[in-house]
Structure formats: structure tokens, C-alpha cells
């Protein structure tokens, strides 16, 4: 489903290149659950952004469902972001003035879904994360764990086959973090392809496969 070959990403900072990724080769099959670990600055977020088509590599090949993403135009990439890939961030990235339901509705507004279908999907997505009773709450009226569940509902409302999560428990206490991990694992058990960046060894250790990055390269790829 995901095939990276010799992926490099350099950023130019002050006229000099910063090599965030230096030749990453990695394949992920549909339905896998992969933890991505590594020290701060090792390229984990850069890798996730490339996988999510939020960024393009400087070199190398990224095939998604058999299609070379370098050959795709902006319209096709935005369709992939809308329908194929959900993204969850450490700091939730919810819109503060919108309710939980309003946040979950946003991707469907961008996708042009009719109002009745949006309402139905909001109910289903918030139900799937156990938050239907909080549909009318704004982010500042929710706990951290609840905010992340809203973010997961928003990421999943278009029913993408892949979910990418960048330190999804990084701003949560251990109990709320565990609930988020269990929720993601349950979604993976029903077929979702799941890639989770974490530097929490306890969380990484739960995944059947762990890819370790250091200094922009894969230094270990372990299956349990
Ligand atoms: N937009 C950017 N511009 C310049 N340098 C960046 C940018 N994004 C990441 N980097 C650099 O790339 C390296 C890897 O960053 P990142 O992928 O965020 O690491 P991690 O998520 O593992 O902490 C770091 O040296 C970082 O400073
Ligand atoms: Mg990061």
C-alpha cells in the first residue's frame, strides 16, 4: 500500500541544506500497525508529512496504492489527502471556535458532502470515539483526551484507509494516552492501516512492528 524508496528531504536553512531524511526505504502493507520511533530531530515528523502528501520529497520514490505520487498534480494530491489519509497531531489542531461536531464536519464541507450526509457521519464518527454526548462542546470545554478523540473522529470521518498520527499522546497524561492508543488499536483491528510516531517506548512496544529512525535513516525495522 505504501512503498518508499530512497526518500530524501532536505530543507534549505540560511542557505545551507538540512538533511531531515537521507534515503528512507520502507514498505507498509494494508492493515499494518507500525510504530515510528527515534530521537527528537531524527526525521519522524518529516517522514509522516511526506507519507500524508502534505510535503514532497527532494529525491526518491513514494508509491501509494501502486501510484507514483511524484507524478500526481496538486488536485490529485489534495484528493488523496481528503479520501485516503487521516492525520492526527500532538496538539490536536482543532478549530477553537467550532464545536466538536463543527470540527468533525470541516473535512466534509471541503469535500462538498450534502448536509444530511454530514449530519449522519458526524453522529457516526463521534459515536465511534465515544463522544456523541459532547458534540456541542467547544475544544476549551473538553479534556485533552476528549480533544484528541474529536481530532481522531475528524481524521476518520471521510473513512480513509490510512491514519497517520504524530505523537498523538504527547500532550496527554498516561491514562488518557492509553485510551487513545486503545482506540487507535481498535480501529486498526477493523482494517485501518495505522502509522504512529511516538517516543514513548511503552506505546511503541505495543505495535506489532516498530521502525526506528536516527539522523534521517531507518536504523531498525522490527516485527514481533
Ligand atoms: N520546515 C523545516 N525547515 C527546516 N528544517 C526542518 C523543517 N522541518 C524539519 N526540519 C529539520 O529536519 C530535521 C528533522 O525534523 P523532524 O522531522 O521534525 O524530526 P522529529 O519529528 O523526529 O523530531 C530536524 O533537524 C529539523 O530541524
Ligand atoms: Mg516530530
Amino acid at each position: 500500500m505504501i512503498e518508499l524508496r530512497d526518500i530524501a528531504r532536505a530543507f534549505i536553512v540560511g542557505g545551507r541544506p538540512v538533511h531531515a531524511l537521507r534515503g528512507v526505504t520502507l514498505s507498509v502493507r494494508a492493515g499494518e500497525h507500525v510504530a515510528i520511533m527515534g530521537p527528537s530531530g531524527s526525521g519522524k515528523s518529516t517522514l509522516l508529512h511526506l507519507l500524508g502528501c502534505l510535503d514532497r520529497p527532494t529525491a526518491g520514490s513514494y508509491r501509494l496504492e501502486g501510484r507514483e505520487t511524484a507524478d500526481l498534480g496538486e488536485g490529485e494530491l489534495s484528493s488523496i489527502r481528503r479520501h485516503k489519509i487521516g492525520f492526527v497531531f500532538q496538539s490536536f489542531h482543532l478549530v477553537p471556535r467550532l464545536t466538536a461536531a463543527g470540527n468533525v464536519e470541516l473535512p466534509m464541507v471541503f469535500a462538498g458532502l450534502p448536509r444530511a450526509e454530514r449530519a449522519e457521519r458526524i453522529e457516526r464518527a463521534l459515536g465511534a470515539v465515544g463522544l456523541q454526548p459532547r458534540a456541542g462542546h467547544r475544544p476549551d470545554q473538553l479534556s485533552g483526551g476528549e480533544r484528541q478523540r474529536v481530532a481522531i473522529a475528524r481524521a476518520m470521518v471521510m473513512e480513509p484507509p490510512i491514519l497517520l498520527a504524530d505523537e498523538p499522546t504527547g500532550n496527554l497524561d498516561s491514562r488518557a494516552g492509553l485510551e487513545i492508543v486503545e482506540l487507535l488499536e481498535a480501529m486498526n483491528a477493523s482494517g485501518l492501516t495505522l502509522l504512529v510516531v511516538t517516543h514513548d517506548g511503552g506505546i511503541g512496544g505495543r505495535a506489532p512492528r516498530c521502525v526506528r529512525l536516527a539522523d534521517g535513516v531507518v536504523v531498525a525495522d522490527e516485527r514481533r
Side-chain angles (χ1 to χ4, degrees), residues 66-207:
R67 298 171 78 197
E68 174 56 57
T69 59
D71 298 340
L72 303 177
E74 205 37 60
E76 288 167 303
L77 288 175
S78 103
S79 165
I80 286 176
R81 288 191 292 264
R82 201 163 281 163
H83 297 284
K84 297 283 181 201
I85 299 168
F87 226 107
V88 175
F89 304 91
Q90 175 171 358
S91 44
F92 322 128
H93 289 197
L94 298 176
V95 179
R97 62 185 172 76
L98 293 180
T99 62
N103 271 282
V104 173
E105 187 173 26
L106 272 185
M108 300 187 285
V109 174
F110 295 132
L113 297 195
R115 179 177 295 274
E117 185 175 357
R118 298 204 303 262
E120 211 172 280
R121 281 178 181 247
I122 289 170
E123 198 168 304
R124 217 182 317 142
L126 283 176
V129 300
L131 272 191
Q132 243 185 349
R134 298 281 185 275
H137 290 227
R138 286 192 317 266
D140 65 355
Q141 299 166 325
L142 297 169
S143 73
E146 288 172 336
R147 288 179 206 180
Q148 195 57 299
R149 283 192 273 158
V150 173
I152 291 170
R154 179 184 56 186
M156 292 305 299
V157 76
M158 296 299 292
E159 300 178 357
I162 302 171
L163 183 68
L164 307 175
D166 195 351
E167 308 265 10
T169 64
N171 280 343
L172 303 178
D173 62 45
S174 55
R175 170 151 174 223
L178 181 62
E179 283 174 11
I180 292 300
V181 171
E182 286 173 345
L183 177 60
L184 295 176
E185 286 172 353
M187 291 173 160
N188 169 251
S190 23
L192 179 69
T193 304
L194 177 63
L195 284 86
V196 182
V197 166
T198 179
H199 55 225
D200 180 327
I203 289 170
R206 294 171 66 104

Side-chain angles (χ1 to χ4, degrees), residues 11-13 18-20 38-47 166 197:
F11 299 98
I12 307 297
V13 182
V18 173
H19 297 282
S40 182
S42 56
K44 305 182 299 296
S45 294
T46 302
L47 177 61
D166 195 351
V197 166

Side-chain angles (χ1 to χ4, degrees), residues 1-4 24-37 47 51 185 188 193-198 201 203-212 218 220-224:
M1 157 162 274
I2 288 171
E3 289 176 275
L4 301 179
V24 169
T25 296
L26 180 69
S27 298
V28 177
R29 284 195 301 271
E32 275 200 272
H33 171 194
V34 183
I36 299 171
M37 300 196 67
L47 177 61
L51 287 170
E185 286 172 353
N188 169 251
T193 304
L194 177 63
L195 284 86
V196 182
V197 166
T198 179
I203 289 170
R206 294 171 66 104
R209 181 177 174 197
C210 180
V211 171
R212 282 175 201 281
V218 174
D221 187 348
E222 297 150 358
R223 289 169 199 271
R224 273 174 282 272

